[in-house]
Amino acid sequence: MQMTRCRLCGAEALASVVDLGATPPCESFLAADQLDQPEPTYPLHLRVCTECRLAQIPPLITPEDTFTQYAYFSSFSTSWVEHARTFVADAVRKLALDSAERDAFVVEVASNDGYLLRHLVDRGIRCLGIEPSVNVGVAARDAGVPTRTEFLDPATGSAVRAEHGAADLVVANNVYAHIPDVVGFTRGLRSLVADDGWVSIEVQHLLTLIEHNQYDTIYHEHFQYYTVASAARALATGGLALVDVELLPTHGGSIRLWARPTGAAGEPTPRVAEVLDREKAAGLHELTGYTEFSARVAKVRRDLLRFLIEAAERGETVVGYGAPGKGNTLLNHCGIRPDLLPYTVDRNPYKHGRFTPGTRIPILPPEQIGADRPDYVLVLPWNLRTELVEQLSYVHAWGGRLVFPIPELSIVEVTS
């Protein structure tokens, strides 16, 4: 299947940005009894529309393939839970969601295990999660967060609105890239939100992805990659207008898009124009900003492989920390297998005893690092660098060092 048409504007002219070959879906971790079975792989080729500039990959797998049972639980990241807590506090204050004069209602789409909505539950604010993954939805309900197991589309949004009323705030964190039917999903957001309500979307910023070589965040779960310009075009398809944008450090560089129904939107803040100007200066509103990305990706791969090979030849040990989806893009693109990385560890017990897709590297509990005292720890969730440098400071006890592969290879001496 060749991708020939933009999923946002329908244009047929798509330009190649980077071709990462073929990989398995990044969250399809293998059990031990699956290691002798065939493993499907799919092309991972990022292209950009020459008309509307939406960066996208072919929809070769469906959200149903990935999200019915899901390996990612947001609450295992301490910094992400704190990020959500801060957002809730700020949104409650900004939108007066705790006002005694109103019965505020907040909906989060792709609410995962309740990592964000639990802060609203604690405040006594009415809320609902819409989460397609059965297993993480169960975890959310067990934590006291009302959760509906469903994918969002216009019909789902209308059904929620009919049952609970229109939402004063709809939150969609790290999901706007995960939906191939971006137009239908956006219309679903509009069907949820009140005519004078707000929509808050967090999604990785294509500007930082390009500038900082964050190519490992390209994987099959992410169907599109947004600039503020392309996000505004996408929002407009559902009757939503972009009114403000915030630049966030999360996931290596994200944007928080604030949108409202067009009838209530008003003029956008100056921050929107400022970010659009930055994107334009980087060439992302044309094609010039994409031309060198593939060469810089190739250098990341060469540098990491050179480090691992040379460490092995010196008899030094390197193990991994984390088993995130982005790590599996990196491992597969680089062809890293257990001869160079004998195992990685992860805090999520769901992954223990499983193996990374494609590369089949064992995933163990974090305590294994302290038991084995390796020379280097390759940090795969590099976006959590500040959090993990602190968490892994104990490797200093035996002279261990941390390795971050992106945006460029960096070896870090930690202190206890």
Side-chain angles (χ1 to χ4, degrees):
M1 174 182 176
Q2 184 173 1
M3 184 172 182
T4 58
R5 187 178 294 275
C6 173
R7 65 173 56 97
L8 180 58
C9 74
E12 294 188 0
L14 302 178
S16 177
V17 178
V18 65
D19 186 349
L20 300 176
T23 71
C26 69
E27 294 286 350
S28 58
F29 296 95
L30 301 172
D33 61 3
Q34 295 176 299
L35 294 179
D36 289 328
Q37 298 175 10
E39 190 175 5
T41 62
Y42 303 88
L44 195 54
H45 189 173
L46 182 67
R47 299 175 173 92
V48 63
C49 177
T50 60
E51 296 295 328
C52 73
R53 304 294 187 267
L54 181 70
Q56 54 202 284
I57 66 171
L60 300 177
I61 61 174
T62 69
E64 289 79 7
D65 293 331
T66 302
F67 296 112
T68 301
Q69 292 285 330
Y70 197 41
Y72 179 73
F73 289 70
S74 297
S75 292
F76 283 106
S77 171
T78 304
S79 63
W80 186 243
V81 172
E82 176 60 21
H83 172 76
R85 187 198 65 77
T86 301
F87 167 79
V88 167
D90 292 345
V92 167
R93 181 174 58 253
K94 174 179 179 177
L95 307 182
L97 297 175
D98 57 353
S99 170
E101 289 75 34
R102 66 192 300 192
D103 178 23
F105 179 47
V106 178
V107 175
E108 185 183 12
V109 182
S111 51
N112 202 264
D113 59 3
Y115 74 101
L116 184 146
L117 291 180
R118 74 190 201 192
H119 302 296
L120 286 160
V121 170
D122 291 344
R123 290 170 174 263
I125 296 173
R126 195 163 56 97
C127 62
L128 177 70
I130 300 176
E131 168 54 51
S133 300
V134 175
N135 58 326
V136 291
V138 168
R141 286 188 288 272
D142 288 346
V145 177
T147 303
R148 180 173 179 143
T149 302
E150 210 161 355
F151 286 93
L152 177 66
D153 57 22
T156 302
S158 296
V160 170
R161 186 176 184 137
E163 182 177 351
H164 298 276
D168 299 283
L169 171 64
V170 177
V171 181
N173 286 349
N174 299 311
V175 65
Y176 207 39
H178 291 70
I179 305 299
D181 181 10
V182 61
V183 174
F185 183 84
T186 304
R187 291 172 179 167
L189 294 175
R190 178 63 186 92
S191 66
L192 283 170
V193 70
D195 292 345
D196 61 348
W198 294 80
V199 175
S200 176
I201 296 172
E202 290 184 23
V203 68
Q204 187 183 23
H205 196 184
L206 184 60
L207 176 64
T208 53
L209 187 156
I210 295 289
E211 287 185 337
H212 298 298
N213 299 329
Q214 297 167 352
Y215 79 92
D216 57 344
T217 59
I218 300 169
Y219 41 84
H220 299 103
E221 290 180 19
H222 289 171
F223 295 97
Q224 51 267 339
Y225 303 79
Y226 295 97
T227 59
V228 169
S230 61
R233 294 185 185 104
L235 289 166
T237 65
L240 297 170
L242 182 66
V243 296
D244 196 9
V245 62
E246 299 174 51
L247 298 180
L248 306 173
T250 53
H251 298 287
S254 298
I255 43 179
R256 178 181 289 148
L257 307 162
W258 288 95
R260 307 193 76 183
T262 51
E267 290 297 316
T269 68
R271 291 195 293 194
V272 174
E274 291 169 5
V275 180
L276 288 172
D277 286 345
R278 284 187 57 185
E279 293 174 354
K280 184 177 181 179
L284 298 186
H285 295 176
E286 303 300 329
L287 296 179
T288 55
Y290 303 92
T291 54
E292 299 299 322
F293 185 57
S294 183
R296 290 190 282 114
V297 166
K299 185 177 187 305
V300 171
R301 178 177 181 270
R302 290 194 303 269
D303 289 348
L304 179 56
L305 281 173
R306 183 181 302 113
F307 163 76
L308 291 172
I309 291 168
E310 290 178 354
E313 290 176 345
R314 293 192 300 266
E316 296 172 329
T317 53
V318 185
V319 304
Y321 184 93
K326 62 167 56 72
N328 291 324
T329 292
L330 181 76
L331 294 172
N332 278 283
H333 178 245
C334 295
I336 296 169
R337 289 179 172 76
D339 61 320
L340 294 177
L341 195 72
Y343 64 83
T344 190
V345 305
D346 199 273
R347 293 177 65 189
N348 185 349
Y350 176 87
K351 300 178 183 180
H352 297 166
R354 296 178 183 265
F355 298 78
T356 57
T359 54
R360 304 180 173 215
I361 293 169
I363 306 169
L364 306 177
E367 294 76 18
Q368 195 67 42
I369 290 178
D372 291 345
R373 300 164 71 94
D375 297 294
Y376 299 95
V377 178
L378 174 65
V379 181
L380 296 174
W382 49 261
N383 54 299
L384 301 177
R385 180 166 179 155
T386 300
E387 174 183 342
L388 294 183
V389 166
E390 181 177 349
Q391 280 187 18
L392 293 167
S393 62
Y394 63 87
V395 306
H396 172 76
W398 62 84
R401 290 181 283 180
L402 307 183
V403 181
F404 293 87
I406 286 176
E408 59 187 5
L409 190 73
S410 172
I411 300 175
V412 177
E413 303 271 1
V414 293
T415 57
S416 57

